Amino acid sequence: MIINAAADLAQMAKSLEDSGDYRVLRRLVPKHVFTPIPTNQPVKIGIVLDVETTGLDAKTDEVTELAMVKFSYLPNGRIGHVIDTFAALNEPTNPIPPEITALTGITNEMVAGQHIDPAAVSSFVADANVIIAHNANFDRRFAERYWPEFEQKHWACSAIEIEWRSHGFEGSRLAYLLAGAGLFHHALRAVDDCRALLEILAMTLGTTARPVLACLLEHARRNTVRIWAEGTPYDFKDQLKKRKYRWNDGNDGRLKSWHVDIDEQLLERS
């Protein structure tokens, strides 16, 4: 007997989960509306952003794809609805390296003759209160280099500004977060990752009973101080990682060194 009705499949999944011996991941179906908001309710505007590039060096490598999903949200961090999406390819000056194509799926044939319109980008982000990326340290450097209006925007990093492990997740990679929420997705383009991240931002963290977005924005608003561990011997790297230090490779013009960002208030108390 072939079972193909959605209700039957859902019941099968529930039976497996109820047994305690299985865990079922459901395919992510991106939402358009998360929280119905009356038209007269004031909202803020957020953008989830992802860039694909020819490499890691923000000074010399080039953007091959820019994807953005614009959404509304309430002061309490509840996401309203998706307002618009932006997805565009860009042909770089030099061919895309094979290893980058293997990683991103973007080929030289796909980007041939493609160009990202700066005016379209500027118009799309004009009303945004915050730009969110899952590796903002990377995405922001490229975005600001190509489109200067991003320099005037507030940024938040969903990868490092949420203590995901303390909330029961295996790690901060998007696939880990989706799996922790019982979901999976097939990202064919960067915009698919943006939609997936928006689903994560809309989740309620069980440890706080608050939306992920609310916790992220609260952390992003804090004043922080960056401490550099310049000249630290290689043998100390594991200890630094345990203390949440991150490595900077120097491609952004700053120190090639380990560093950690600390809440300014905590530093003042120490």
Side-chain angles (χ1 to χ4, degrees):
M1 179 178 64
I2 299 176
I3 301 175
N4 54 20
D8 291 335
L9 292 173
Q11 183 56 50
M12 290 174 62
K14 185 177 185 304
S15 297
L16 288 169
E17 291 179 324
D18 289 347
S19 72
D21 295 323
Y22 298 90
R23 186 180 180 196
V24 179
L25 298 182
R26 292 164 173 81
R27 181 173 60 84
L28 171 64
V29 179
K31 300 187 191 73
H32 180 74
V33 177
F34 293 84
T35 303
I37 300 176
T39 54
N40 62 345
Q41 174 74 50
V43 297
K44 293 187 175 183
I45 304 299
I47 288 177
V48 175
L49 175 148
D50 186 30
V51 296
E52 299 293 354
T53 68
T54 59
L56 302 177
D57 192 333
K59 292 181 179 179
T60 59
D61 289 313
E62 301 177 76
V63 169
T64 55
E65 183 176 25
L66 171 65
M68 297 182 283
V69 174
K70 182 186 292 188
F71 62 95
S72 62
Y73 66 95
L74 293 166
N76 64 3
R78 293 289 173 191
I79 293 175
H81 69 280
V82 173
I83 298 171
D84 201 359
T85 60
F86 181 102
L89 294 169
N90 181 63
E91 182 178 15
T93 305
N94 299 309
I96 301 172
E99 63 271 18
I100 297 299
T101 293
L103 181 66
T104 66
I106 299 175
T107 66
N108 290 297
E109 292 72 22
M110 289 171 59
V111 299
Q114 300 292 320
H115 176 68
I116 300 175
D117 182 5
V121 174
S122 180
S123 176
F124 192 91
V125 306
D127 58 350
N129 298 102
V130 63
I131 310 295
I132 300 170
H134 202 56
N135 184 3
N137 183 50
F138 175 85
D139 295 276
R140 183 175 186 174
R141 286 182 284 146
F142 280 94
E144 291 182 350
R145 171 184 153 200
Y146 273 77
W147 307 283
E149 51 268 35
F150 282 109
E151 296 178 359
Q152 309 304 318
K153 295 298 180 180
H154 296 290
W155 285 75
C157 181
S158 52
I160 67 172
E161 292 188 283
I162 296 286
E163 293 287 346
W164 291 109
R165 290 187 182 276
S166 68
H167 296 294
F169 291 86
E170 294 294 328
S172 62
R173 290 183 59 185
L174 187 57
Y176 293 161
L177 301 181
L178 287 170
L183 300 168
F184 72 93
H185 84 313
H186 296 299
L188 301 177
R189 295 287 296 275
V191 73
D192 298 317
D193 278 339
C194 289
R195 293 189 179 111
L197 179 56
L198 189 60
E199 295 283 337
I200 297 297
L201 295 175
M203 288 190 325
T204 297
L205 282 175
T207 54
T208 67
R210 301 171 64 203
V212 171
L213 179 61
C215 299
L216 174 61
L217 294 178
E218 180 182 66
H219 190 283
R221 292 187 185 110
R222 297 175 182 172
N223 291 326
T224 59
V225 175
R226 176 160 292 182
I227 298 176
W228 295 89
E230 186 178 6
T232 305
Y234 179 81
D235 293 344
F236 280 75
K237 67 180 181 65
D238 291 333
Q239 296 181 43
L240 291 169
K241 287 181 180 179
K242 289 180 181 179
R243 296 181 182 182
K244 301 180 181 179
Y245 277 75
R246 297 168 62 85
W247 174 253
N248 186 70
D249 59 13
N251 286 333
D252 57 3
R254 292 177 290 185
L255 290 174
K256 186 176 182 180
S257 176
W258 292 93
H259 67 274
V260 65
D261 294 326
I262 296 179
D263 191 310
E264 189 176 59
Q265 293 182 353
L266 294 177
L267 187 65
E268 291 173 354
R269 294 172 193 163
S270 62

